[in-house]
Amino acid sequence: MREYVLVCLIAACTTYLVCGMARRLALRTGAVARVRERDIHVKPVPYFGGVAMLGGVGASFFMATKLPFLGRNELIENDIGAVFIAATVICAVGVLDDLFEINAITKLAGQVLAAGLVVVGGVQMLWIPLPSTVISLDTSASIAITVFFIVLCTNAVNYVDGLDGLATGVVGIGAAAFFGYCYVLVADQNLSRASTASLITVAIVGVCLGFLPHNFHPARMFMGDSGSMLLGLLLASSSISLTGQFDSAPLQDGGQGLLPAYLPLVLPLAIVALPILDFTLAFLRRTYRGNPFWVADKQHLHHRLLERGHSHRRAVLLMYVWSGLISFGVALIGLTQFWWVAVLFIIAAGVVTVLTVRGNRQMKPSPRELAGKTPQRTEPRG
């Protein structure tokens, strides 16, 4: 655990310090969110938060390979090498988009390329747990499912990046829950606590902690597509590393029930539940209206919170609470299987639902003010 804490601190400190240089570089190159009538910021806000995050990831991965416990595992070294190369590619695609606004097809091609690099490096879905059995995937199915999941998570995190600090906090909270689950699971199964999934998730937590002081409202810089797509790829890679490579059969054979056996598959989806829900609703909404799914609108989940009168910070904090409730709740229910944990989860969900729906009608903004609360980029541009 001490080495994981050190990796997290290295990621956080490096990201925090590199943000200053990345911010200056963004201002010099013109990679900024321009001031428009519907934006909340009153002066140009630089992008390139993803560049700082990539620096934090690289520093934490390098440190991990030099530590006596994590550094002895050849599989981890191979996996994080492949993931870092893919992360560099996806970050570069995001930087190009921040600078030149590349079209959706080009961006998708870059995402598929990065996902393919993860697969080539050996991080891929190998089997899927089902009732009383585990389905082994052939090569073609394994590659297709892995690439699809990575691209899905990459775009889902990109879509939810609509308010200052929103994507950073949601992903960081989900990664913390996933790290806790990974660590407890391998310890319970008497496996090595050194795992690719744990290392990547703790690095995600670190870079999110390091970037959040620069990004929380009012943001001094935005992560841009370089950051949102980077976080999505890392989160998907860590999930696949555990879900696809951990054999859930011992959990089923051990008489612990199906729920713990399903957690390697269910928990990654729970972690990205809000981004994927937002992405799915946007796709259905725009398709129903006959619009391309990449064309921006102001009907995302965070926009709905603003419409109900929540302030910018309150809307973001509510999304944090929902993210933590879903991810930590699913993990605790699955690992403990105590009925009272499920009851507490239901009660907490009810309370948060009331707070979410209630809003503050007296502070409800006008349509013009609401438009002003919409950040410049809520999703991939095309």
Side-chain angles (χ1 to χ4, degrees), residues 47-54 87 90-95 97-98 107 111 149-163 165-172 204 207-208 211 215 222-236 272 275 377-381:
Y47 289 127
F48 285 5
V51 176
M53 290 180 176
L54 183 65
I90 202 71
C91 185
V93 172
V95 167
D97 188 55
D98 292 334
K107 189 186 301 185
Q111 294 169 355
F149 185 69
I150 292 176
V151 172
L152 175 64
C153 287
T154 299
N155 284 286
V157 175
N158 204 356
Y159 268 59
V160 82
D161 183 26
L163 296 176
L166 180 56
T168 309
V170 167
V171 173
I204 295 172
V207 297
C208 288
F211 183 63
N215 187 232
F222 294 156
M223 67 172 66
D225 282 8
S226 60
S228 59
M229 293 197 299
L230 171 65
L231 290 179
L233 180 136
L234 291 174
L235 194 57
V272 292
R377 290 208 163 153
T378 61
E379 58 202 51
R381 291 178 297 189

Short mmCIF file of all heavy atoms in Angstrom, two decimals, residues 47-54 87 90-95 97-98 107 111 149-163 165-172 204 207-208 211 215 222-236 272 275 377-381:
data_model
loop_
_atom_site.label_atom_id
_atom_site.label_comp_id
_atom_site.label_asym_id
_atom_site.label_seq_id
_atom_site.Cartn_x
_atom_site.Cartn_y
_atom_site.Cartn_z
N TYR A 47 -6.37 25.58 -22.46
CA TYR A 47 -6.53 24.13 -22.40
C TYR A 47 -5.20 23.49 -21.98
O TYR A 47 -4.46 24.07 -21.22
CB TYR A 47 -6.94 23.60 -23.79
CG TYR A 47 -8.34 23.95 -24.21
CD1 TYR A 47 -8.57 24.56 -25.44
CD2 TYR A 47 -9.44 23.65 -23.40
CE1 TYR A 47 -9.85 24.86 -25.86
CE2 TYR A 47 -10.72 23.96 -23.81
CZ TYR A 47 -10.93 24.56 -25.05
OH TYR A 47 -12.20 24.87 -25.46
N PHE A 48 -4.97 22.29 -22.45
CA PHE A 48 -3.73 21.53 -22.23
C PHE A 48 -3.61 20.97 -20.82
O PHE A 48 -2.51 20.60 -20.39
CB PHE A 48 -2.49 22.36 -22.57
CG PHE A 48 -2.25 22.52 -24.05
CD1 PHE A 48 -3.15 22.04 -24.98
CD2 PHE A 48 -1.13 23.18 -24.51
CE1 PHE A 48 -2.94 22.20 -26.34
CE2 PHE A 48 -0.89 23.34 -25.87
CZ PHE A 48 -1.81 22.85 -26.79
N GLY A 49 -4.72 20.88 -20.08
CA GLY A 49 -4.66 20.18 -18.81
C GLY A 49 -4.28 18.72 -19.01
O GLY A 49 -3.62 18.11 -18.16
N GLY A 50 -4.67 18.16 -20.15
CA GLY A 50 -4.32 16.78 -20.45
C GLY A 50 -2.83 16.57 -20.60
O GLY A 50 -2.31 15.49 -20.29
N VAL A 51 -2.12 17.58 -21.08
CA VAL A 51 -0.66 17.48 -21.21
C VAL A 51 -0.03 17.33 -19.82
O VAL A 51 0.88 16.52 -19.62
CB VAL A 51 -0.10 18.71 -21.94
CG1 VAL A 51 1.42 18.66 -21.99
CG2 VAL A 51 -0.68 18.81 -23.34
N ALA A 52 -0.51 18.13 -18.87
CA ALA A 52 -0.01 18.02 -17.50
C ALA A 52 -0.36 16.66 -16.90
O ALA A 52 0.45 16.05 -16.19
CB ALA A 52 -0.60 19.15 -16.64
N MET A 53 -1.57 16.19 -17.18
CA MET A 53 -1.98 14.87 -16.68
C MET A 53 -1.08 13.77 -17.25
O MET A 53 -0.70 12.84 -16.53
CB MET A 53 -3.43 14.60 -17.07
CG MET A 53 -4.45 15.44 -16.34
SD MET A 53 -6.13 15.02 -16.88
CE MET A 53 -7.09 16.07 -15.80
N LEU A 54 -0.78 13.87 -18.54
CA LEU A 54 0.10 12.87 -19.15
C LEU A 54 1.47 12.88 -18.47
O LEU A 54 2.07 11.81 -18.26
CB LEU A 54 0.25 13.14 -20.64
CG LEU A 54 1.10 12.13 -21.43
CD1 LEU A 54 0.43 10.76 -21.43
CD2 LEU A 54 1.32 12.61 -22.87
N ALA A 87 -1.76 6.25 -24.28
CA ALA A 87 -2.15 7.50 -23.64
C ALA A 87 -1.50 8.70 -24.34
O ALA A 87 -2.12 9.76 -24.50
CB ALA A 87 -1.78 7.48 -22.17
N ILE A 90 -3.45 9.28 -27.64
CA ILE A 90 -4.78 9.87 -27.45
C ILE A 90 -4.64 11.32 -26.96
O ILE A 90 -5.45 12.19 -27.33
CB ILE A 90 -5.62 9.04 -26.46
CG1 ILE A 90 -7.11 9.31 -26.67
CG2 ILE A 90 -5.26 9.32 -25.02
CD1 ILE A 90 -7.67 8.74 -27.92
N CYS A 91 -3.63 11.60 -26.16
CA CYS A 91 -3.40 12.97 -25.70
C CYS A 91 -3.00 13.85 -26.88
O CYS A 91 -3.44 15.01 -26.98
CB CYS A 91 -2.33 12.99 -24.62
SG CYS A 91 -2.07 14.61 -23.86
N ALA A 92 -2.16 13.32 -27.78
CA ALA A 92 -1.74 14.08 -28.95
C ALA A 92 -2.94 14.39 -29.85
O ALA A 92 -3.05 15.51 -30.38
CB ALA A 92 -0.69 13.31 -29.74
N VAL A 93 -3.84 13.43 -30.00
CA VAL A 93 -5.06 13.67 -30.78
C VAL A 93 -5.87 14.80 -30.14
O VAL A 93 -6.39 15.69 -30.83
CB VAL A 93 -5.90 12.39 -30.89
CG1 VAL A 93 -7.26 12.68 -31.54
CG2 VAL A 93 -5.16 11.32 -31.69
N GLY A 94 -5.97 14.76 -28.81
CA GLY A 94 -6.70 15.81 -28.11
C GLY A 94 -6.06 17.17 -28.25
O GLY A 94 -6.74 18.19 -28.39
N VAL A 95 -4.73 17.21 -28.23
CA VAL A 95 -4.02 18.48 -28.39
C VAL A 95 -4.30 19.07 -29.77
O VAL A 95 -4.55 20.28 -29.92
CB VAL A 95 -2.50 18.27 -28.19
CG1 VAL A 95 -1.73 19.50 -28.68
CG2 VAL A 95 -2.19 18.01 -26.72
N ASP A 97 -6.92 18.58 -31.53
CA ASP A 97 -8.30 19.05 -31.54
C ASP A 97 -8.43 20.38 -30.79
O ASP A 97 -9.18 21.26 -31.19
CB ASP A 97 -9.23 18.00 -30.94
CG ASP A 97 -10.69 18.35 -31.11
OD1 ASP A 97 -11.11 18.59 -32.27
OD2 ASP A 97 -11.41 18.41 -30.11
N ASP A 98 -7.70 20.50 -29.68
CA ASP A 98 -7.73 21.75 -28.93
C ASP A 98 -7.18 22.91 -29.77
O ASP A 98 -7.61 24.05 -29.63
CB ASP A 98 -6.91 21.62 -27.65
CG ASP A 98 -7.55 20.67 -26.64
OD1 ASP A 98 -8.78 20.51 -26.70
OD2 ASP A 98 -6.82 20.09 -25.81
N LYS A 107 -10.95 12.27 -35.26
CA LYS A 107 -10.81 12.04 -33.83
C LYS A 107 -11.11 10.59 -33.48
O LYS A 107 -10.41 9.95 -32.68
CB LYS A 107 -11.73 12.98 -33.06
CG LYS A 107 -11.50 12.96 -31.55
CD LYS A 107 -12.54 13.78 -30.82
CE LYS A 107 -12.52 15.21 -31.27
NZ LYS A 107 -13.45 16.04 -30.48
N GLN A 111 -8.80 7.66 -31.70
CA GLN A 111 -9.22 6.86 -30.54
C GLN A 111 -9.08 5.37 -30.80
O GLN A 111 -8.62 4.61 -29.94
CB GLN A 111 -10.67 7.21 -30.19
CG GLN A 111 -10.87 8.63 -29.71
CD GLN A 111 -12.34 9.02 -29.62
OE1 GLN A 111 -13.21 8.25 -30.01
NE2 GLN A 111 -12.61 10.21 -29.12
N PHE A 149 -15.01 -0.85 -25.92
CA PHE A 149 -15.14 -0.33 -24.56
C PHE A 149 -14.23 0.87 -24.33
O PHE A 149 -14.62 1.85 -23.68
CB PHE A 149 -14.81 -1.44 -23.55
CG PHE A 149 -15.04 -1.04 -22.12
CD1 PHE A 149 -16.32 -0.83 -21.64
CD2 PHE A 149 -13.97 -0.86 -21.26
CE1 PHE A 149 -16.54 -0.46 -20.32
CE2 PHE A 149 -14.18 -0.48 -19.94
CZ PHE A 149 -15.47 -0.28 -19.47
N ILE A 150 -13.02 0.82 -24.87
CA ILE A 150 -12.10 1.94 -24.70
C ILE A 150 -12.63 3.19 -25.40
O ILE A 150 -12.63 4.29 -24.84
CB ILE A 150 -10.70 1.58 -25.23
CG1 ILE A 150 -10.05 0.51 -24.35
CG2 ILE A 150 -9.81 2.82 -25.29
CD1 ILE A 150 -8.71 0.02 -24.85
N VAL A 151 -13.11 3.03 -26.63
CA VAL A 151 -13.66 4.17 -27.37
C VAL A 151 -14.90 4.71 -26.67
O VAL A 151 -15.10 5.94 -26.60
CB VAL A 151 -13.98 3.77 -28.83
CG1 VAL A 151 -14.72 4.89 -29.55
CG2 VAL A 151 -12.69 3.42 -29.58
N LEU A 152 -15.74 3.81 -26.16
CA LEU A 152 -16.94 4.24 -25.44
C LEU A 152 -16.59 5.08 -24.21
O LEU A 152 -17.15 6.16 -24.01
CB LEU A 152 -17.77 3.02 -25.02
CG LEU A 152 -19.01 3.30 -24.15
CD1 LEU A 152 -20.02 4.13 -24.93
CD2 LEU A 152 -19.63 1.99 -23.68
N CYS A 153 -15.67 4.59 -23.40
CA CYS A 153 -15.28 5.33 -22.18
C CYS A 153 -14.60 6.64 -22.53
O CYS A 153 -14.82 7.66 -21.85
CB CYS A 153 -14.35 4.47 -21.33
SG CYS A 153 -15.17 3.10 -20.48
N THR A 154 -13.79 6.62 -23.58
CA THR A 154 -13.09 7.84 -24.00
C THR A 154 -14.08 8.95 -24.35
O THR A 154 -13.94 10.10 -23.92
CB THR A 154 -12.19 7.55 -25.20
OG1 THR A 154 -11.21 6.57 -24.84
CG2 THR A 154 -11.49 8.82 -25.67
N ASN A 155 -15.11 8.61 -25.11
CA ASN A 155 -16.10 9.60 -25.50
C ASN A 155 -17.05 9.95 -24.36
O ASN A 155 -17.51 11.09 -24.26
CB ASN A 155 -16.89 9.10 -26.71
CG ASN A 155 -16.11 9.20 -28.00
OD1 ASN A 155 -15.94 10.28 -28.55
ND2 ASN A 155 -15.61 8.07 -28.48
N ALA A 156 -17.34 8.97 -23.50
CA ALA A 156 -18.25 9.23 -22.38
C ALA A 156 -17.66 10.26 -21.44
O ALA A 156 -18.35 11.20 -21.01
CB ALA A 156 -18.55 7.92 -21.63
N VAL A 157 -16.38 10.12 -21.09
CA VAL A 157 -15.73 11.10 -20.21
C VAL A 157 -15.65 12.45 -20.92
O VAL A 157 -15.83 13.51 -20.31
CB VAL A 157 -14.34 10.62 -19.80
CG1 VAL A 157 -13.61 11.70 -19.00
CG2 VAL A 157 -14.44 9.34 -18.96
N ASN A 158 -15.42 12.43 -22.22
CA ASN A 158 -15.36 13.67 -22.98
C ASN A 158 -16.70 14.41 -22.95
O ASN A 158 -16.75 15.64 -22.83
CB ASN A 158 -14.97 13.36 -24.43
CG ASN A 158 -14.33 14.56 -25.13
OD1 ASN A 158 -14.24 15.64 -24.57
ND2 ASN A 158 -13.91 14.35 -26.35
N TYR A 159 -17.79 13.67 -23.02
CA TYR A 159 -19.11 14.28 -23.02
C TYR A 159 -19.45 14.89 -21.65
O TYR A 159 -20.14 15.90 -21.57
CB TYR A 159 -20.17 13.24 -23.39
CG TYR A 159 -20.47 13.18 -24.86
CD1 TYR A 159 -19.47 12.90 -25.78
CD2 TYR A 159 -21.75 13.41 -25.35
CE1 TYR A 159 -19.72 12.84 -27.14
CE2 TYR A 159 -22.01 13.36 -26.71
CZ TYR A 159 -21.00 13.07 -27.59
OH TYR A 159 -21.26 13.03 -28.94
N VAL A 160 -19.02 14.25 -20.57
CA VAL A 160 -19.40 14.73 -19.25
C VAL A 160 -18.56 15.91 -18.81
O VAL A 160 -18.83 16.54 -17.78
CB VAL A 160 -19.29 13.59 -18.21
CG1 VAL A 160 -17.87 13.40 -17.72
CG2 VAL A 160 -20.23 13.81 -17.03
N ASP A 161 -17.53 16.24 -19.58
CA ASP A 161 -16.65 17.36 -19.24
C ASP A 161 -17.32 18.67 -19.63
O ASP A 161 -16.92 19.33 -20.60
CB ASP A 161 -15.31 17.20 -19.97
CG ASP A 161 -14.32 18.30 -19.60
OD1 ASP A 161 -14.44 18.85 -18.50
OD2 ASP A 161 -13.43 18.59 -20.43
N GLY A 162 -18.35 19.04 -18.86
CA GLY A 162 -19.15 20.20 -19.22
C GLY A 162 -19.15 21.33 -18.22
O GLY A 162 -19.63 22.42 -18.51
N LEU A 163 -18.64 21.11 -17.02
CA LEU A 163 -18.56 22.15 -16.00
C LEU A 163 -17.18 22.11 -15.37
O LEU A 163 -16.51 21.06 -15.38
CB LEU A 163 -19.63 21.95 -14.91
CG LEU A 163 -21.10 22.08 -15.33
CD1 LEU A 163 -22.01 21.76 -14.14
CD2 LEU A 163 -21.40 23.46 -15.88
N GLY A 165 -14.29 21.33 -13.28
CA GLY A 165 -13.99 20.30 -12.30
C GLY A 165 -14.86 19.07 -12.35
O GLY A 165 -14.64 18.14 -11.57
N LEU A 166 -15.84 19.03 -13.24
CA LEU A 166 -16.81 17.93 -13.24
C LEU A 166 -16.17 16.60 -13.62
O LEU A 166 -16.20 15.63 -12.85
CB LEU A 166 -17.96 18.24 -14.19
CG LEU A 166 -19.07 17.17 -14.29
CD1 LEU A 166 -19.64 16.85 -12.93
CD2 LEU A 166 -20.16 17.63 -15.25
N ALA A 167 -15.58 16.52 -14.80
CA ALA A 167 -14.98 15.26 -15.25
C ALA A 167 -13.83 14.85 -14.35
O ALA A 167 -13.66 13.66 -14.03
CB ALA A 167 -14.51 15.39 -16.70
N THR A 168 -13.04 15.82 -13.90
CA THR A 168 -11.90 15.51 -13.03
C THR A 168 -12.35 14.82 -11.76
O THR A 168 -11.80 13.79 -11.36
CB THR A 168 -11.15 16.80 -12.67
OG1 THR A 168 -10.85 17.54 -13.85
CG2 THR A 168 -9.86 16.49 -11.93
N GLY A 169 -13.37 15.36 -11.12
CA GLY A 169 -13.84 14.79 -9.86
C GLY A 169 -14.56 13.47 -10.05
O GLY A 169 -14.35 12.52 -9.28
N VAL A 170 -15.43 13.38 -11.06
CA VAL A 170 -16.19 12.16 -11.29
C VAL A 170 -15.26 10.99 -11.58
O VAL A 170 -15.41 9.90 -11.03
CB VAL A 170 -17.20 12.36 -12.44
CG1 VAL A 170 -17.78 11.02 -12.90
CG2 VAL A 170 -18.32 13.29 -12.00
N VAL A 171 -14.29 11.20 -12.46
CA VAL A 171 -13.35 10.13 -12.80
C VAL A 171 -12.46 9.79 -11.61
O VAL A 171 -12.20 8.61 -11.33
CB VAL A 171 -12.50 10.54 -14.01
CG1 VAL A 171 -11.40 9.51 -14.26
CG2 VAL A 171 -13.37 10.67 -15.25
N GLY A 172 -11.99 10.81 -10.88
CA GLY A 172 -11.14 10.55 -9.72
C GLY A 172 -11.85 9.75 -8.65
O GLY A 172 -11.28 8.82 -8.06
N ILE A 204 -4.57 7.44 -11.83
CA ILE A 204 -5.69 8.31 -12.22
C ILE A 204 -6.11 9.19 -11.05
O ILE A 204 -6.33 10.40 -11.21
CB ILE A 204 -6.88 7.46 -12.70
CG1 ILE A 204 -6.54 6.70 -13.97
CG2 ILE A 204 -8.10 8.36 -12.94
CD1 ILE A 204 -7.62 5.70 -14.39
N VAL A 207 -3.49 12.05 -10.67
CA VAL A 207 -3.52 13.15 -11.65
C VAL A 207 -4.79 13.99 -11.48
O VAL A 207 -4.76 15.21 -11.70
CB VAL A 207 -3.42 12.62 -13.10
CG1 VAL A 207 -2.09 11.92 -13.31
CG2 VAL A 207 -4.57 11.71 -13.46
N CYS A 208 -5.88 13.36 -11.08
CA CYS A 208 -7.11 14.13 -10.84
C CYS A 208 -6.95 15.05 -9.64
O CYS A 208 -7.39 16.20 -9.66
CB CYS A 208 -8.29 13.18 -10.64
SG CYS A 208 -8.84 12.34 -12.14
N PHE A 211 -4.75 17.97 -10.71
CA PHE A 211 -5.33 18.92 -11.66
C PHE A 211 -6.51 19.69 -11.10
O PHE A 211 -6.78 20.82 -11.53
CB PHE A 211 -5.77 18.16 -12.93
CG PHE A 211 -6.33 19.05 -14.00
CD1 PHE A 211 -5.54 20.01 -14.60
CD2 PHE A 211 -7.66 18.93 -14.41
CE1 PHE A 211 -6.06 20.84 -15.60
CE2 PHE A 211 -8.18 19.74 -15.40
CZ PHE A 211 -7.37 20.70 -15.99
N ASN A 215 -8.64 23.40 -11.87
CA ASN A 215 -9.81 23.22 -12.71
C ASN A 215 -11.13 23.48 -12.00
O ASN A 215 -12.16 23.65 -12.66
CB ASN A 215 -9.80 21.79 -13.28
CG ASN A 215 -10.86 21.53 -14.31
OD1 ASN A 215 -11.62 20.57 -14.21
ND2 ASN A 215 -10.96 22.39 -15.32
N PHE A 222 -8.56 24.46 -18.47
CA PHE A 222 -9.42 23.33 -18.79
C PHE A 222 -8.56 22.15 -19.23
O PHE A 222 -7.47 22.33 -19.76
CB PHE A 222 -10.39 23.68 -19.93
CG PHE A 222 -11.40 24.74 -19.57
CD1 PHE A 222 -11.98 25.51 -20.57
CD2 PHE A 222 -11.77 24.97 -18.26
CE1 PHE A 222 -12.92 26.48 -20.26
CE2 PHE A 222 -12.71 25.94 -17.94
CZ PHE A 222 -13.28 26.70 -18.94
N MET A 223 -9.06 20.96 -19.00
CA MET A 223 -8.33 19.78 -19.45
C MET A 223 -8.38 19.63 -20.97
O MET A 223 -7.47 19.06 -21.57
CB MET A 223 -8.85 18.52 -18.78
CG MET A 223 -10.27 18.11 -19.17
SD MET A 223 -10.70 16.48 -18.52
CE MET A 223 -10.70 16.78 -16.77
N GLY A 224 -9.43 20.13 -21.60
CA GLY A 224 -9.57 19.99 -23.04
C GLY A 224 -9.78 18.54 -23.45
O GLY A 224 -9.85 17.63 -22.60
N ASP A 225 -9.84 18.30 -24.73
CA ASP A 225 -9.99 16.94 -25.22
C ASP A 225 -8.77 16.09 -24.89
O ASP A 225 -8.88 14.88 -24.73
CB ASP A 225 -10.22 16.95 -26.73
CG ASP A 225 -11.65 17.31 -27.09
OD1 ASP A 225 -12.40 17.70 -26.18
OD2 ASP A 225 -12.01 17.22 -28.27
N SER A 226 -7.61 16.72 -24.81
CA SER A 226 -6.39 15.98 -24.47
C SER A 226 -6.50 15.34 -23.10
O SER A 226 -5.97 14.24 -22.87
CB SER A 226 -5.17 16.90 -24.53
OG SER A 226 -5.31 17.98 -23.60
N GLY A 227 -7.21 15.99 -22.18
CA GLY A 227 -7.35 15.45 -20.84
C GLY A 227 -8.53 14.51 -20.69
O GLY A 227 -8.41 13.44 -20.08
N SER A 228 -9.68 14.89 -21.23
CA SER A 228 -10.87 14.05 -21.07
C SER A 228 -10.70 12.70 -21.76
O SER A 228 -11.06 11.65 -21.22
CB SER A 228 -12.10 14.77 -21.61
OG SER A 228 -11.95 15.10 -22.97
N MET A 229 -10.14 12.71 -22.98
CA MET A 229 -9.93 11.44 -23.68
C MET A 229 -8.84 10.61 -23.00
O MET A 229 -8.91 9.37 -22.97
CB MET A 229 -9.59 11.69 -25.14
CG MET A 229 -10.74 12.28 -25.94
SD MET A 229 -10.55 12.15 -27.75
CE MET A 229 -9.06 13.10 -27.99
N LEU A 230 -7.84 11.28 -22.44
CA LEU A 230 -6.79 10.57 -21.70
C LEU A 230 -7.37 9.85 -20.49
O LEU A 230 -7.09 8.66 -20.26
CB LEU A 230 -5.71 11.56 -21.27
CG LEU A 230 -4.65 11.01 -20.30
CD1 LEU A 230 -3.82 9.93 -20.98
CD2 LEU A 230 -3.75 12.15 -19.81
N LEU A 231 -8.18 10.54 -19.71
CA LEU A 231 -8.79 9.92 -18.53
C LEU A 231 -9.69 8.75 -18.93
O LEU A 231 -9.70 7.71 -18.27
CB LEU A 231 -9.60 10.96 -17.75
CG LEU A 231 -8.80 12.04 -17.02
CD1 LEU A 231 -9.76 13.01 -16.31
CD2 LEU A 231 -7.84 11.44 -16.02
N GLY A 232 -10.45 8.93 -20.00
CA GLY A 232 -11.32 7.85 -20.45
C GLY A 232 -10.54 6.61 -20.84
O GLY A 232 -10.90 5.48 -20.49
N LEU A 233 -9.45 6.80 -21.58
CA LEU A 233 -8.63 5.66 -21.99
C LEU A 233 -7.99 4.96 -20.79
O LEU A 233 -7.96 3.73 -20.72
CB LEU A 233 -7.55 6.12 -22.96
CG LEU A 233 -6.61 5.02 -23.47
CD1 LEU A 233 -6.38 5.14 -24.97
CD2 LEU A 233 -5.25 5.07 -22.75
N LEU A 234 -7.47 5.73 -19.84
CA LEU A 234 -6.84 5.13 -18.66
C LEU A 234 -7.85 4.35 -17.83
O LEU A 234 -7.57 3.24 -17.36
CB LEU A 234 -6.20 6.23 -17.81
CG LEU A 234 -4.97 6.92 -18.39
CD1 LEU A 234 -4.54 8.07 -17.49
CD2 LEU A 234 -3.82 5.93 -18.57
N LEU A 235 -9.03 4.93 -17.64
CA LEU A 235 -10.05 4.26 -16.84
C LEU A 235 -10.50 2.97 -17.52
O LEU A 235 -10.66 1.94 -16.87
CB LEU A 235 -11.25 5.20 -16.64
CG LEU A 235 -12.27 4.80 -15.57
CD1 LEU A 235 -11.61 4.64 -14.22
CD2 LEU A 235 -13.38 5.84 -15.50
N ALA A 236 -10.68 3.01 -18.83
CA ALA A 236 -11.08 1.82 -19.56
C ALA A 236 -9.99 0.75 -19.51
O ALA A 236 -10.26 -0.44 -19.33
CB ALA A 236 -11.40 2.17 -21.01
N VAL A 272 -18.29 4.41 -14.53
CA VAL A 272 -18.55 5.35 -15.63
C VAL A 272 -20.04 5.44 -15.92
O VAL A 272 -20.44 5.81 -17.02
CB VAL A 272 -17.78 4.93 -16.90
CG1 VAL A 272 -16.28 5.08 -16.71
CG2 VAL A 272 -18.12 3.49 -17.30
N PRO A 275 -21.14 9.19 -16.90
CA PRO A 275 -20.72 9.57 -18.26
C PRO A 275 -21.41 8.76 -19.35
O PRO A 275 -21.83 9.32 -20.37
CB PRO A 275 -19.21 9.32 -18.25
CG PRO A 275 -18.81 9.46 -16.82
CD PRO A 275 -19.97 8.89 -16.05
N ARG A 377 -16.83 23.71 -24.21
CA ARG A 377 -16.83 22.41 -24.80
C ARG A 377 -17.47 21.41 -23.89
O ARG A 377 -17.01 21.17 -22.80
CB ARG A 377 -15.41 21.97 -25.03
CG ARG A 377 -14.83 22.83 -26.13
CD ARG A 377 -13.93 22.19 -26.72
NE ARG A 377 -13.16 21.97 -27.67
CZ ARG A 377 -12.02 21.38 -27.68
NH1 ARG A 377 -11.47 20.91 -26.94
NH2 ARG A 377 -11.34 21.17 -28.53
N THR A 378 -18.56 20.84 -24.29
CA THR A 378 -19.24 19.83 -23.49
C THR A 378 -19.06 18.45 -24.08
O THR A 378 -19.48 17.49 -23.49
CB THR A 378 -20.74 20.13 -23.38
OG1 THR A 378 -21.30 20.13 -24.69
CG2 THR A 378 -20.96 21.47 -22.72
N GLU A 379 -18.45 18.36 -25.24
CA GLU A 379 -18.33 17.07 -25.91
C GLU A 379 -17.39 17.19 -27.09
O GLU A 379 -16.96 18.29 -27.44
CB GLU A 379 -19.69 16.61 -26.40
CG GLU A 379 -20.31 17.62 -27.34
CD GLU A 379 -21.79 17.49 -27.42
OE1 GLU A 379 -22.42 17.47 -26.38
OE2 GLU A 379 -22.30 17.38 -28.51
N PRO A 380 -17.06 16.09 -27.74
CA PRO A 380 -16.17 16.17 -28.90
C PRO A 380 -16.81 17.04 -29.98
O PRO A 380 -17.98 16.93 -30.27
CB PRO A 380 -16.07 14.72 -29.37
CG PRO A 380 -16.43 13.91 -28.19
CD PRO A 380 -17.41 14.73 -27.43
N ARG A 381 -15.98 17.89 -30.57
CA ARG A 381 -16.49 18.73 -31.64
C ARG A 381 -16.27 18.04 -32.97
O ARG A 381 -15.30 17.34 -33.17
CB ARG A 381 -15.79 20.09 -31.63
CG ARG A 381 -16.16 20.92 -30.44
CD ARG A 381 -15.40 22.23 -30.46
NE ARG A 381 -13.96 21.97 -30.36
CZ ARG A 381 -13.07 22.95 -30.16
NH1 ARG A 381 -13.46 24.18 -30.08
NH2 ARG A 381 -11.78 22.67 -30.07
#
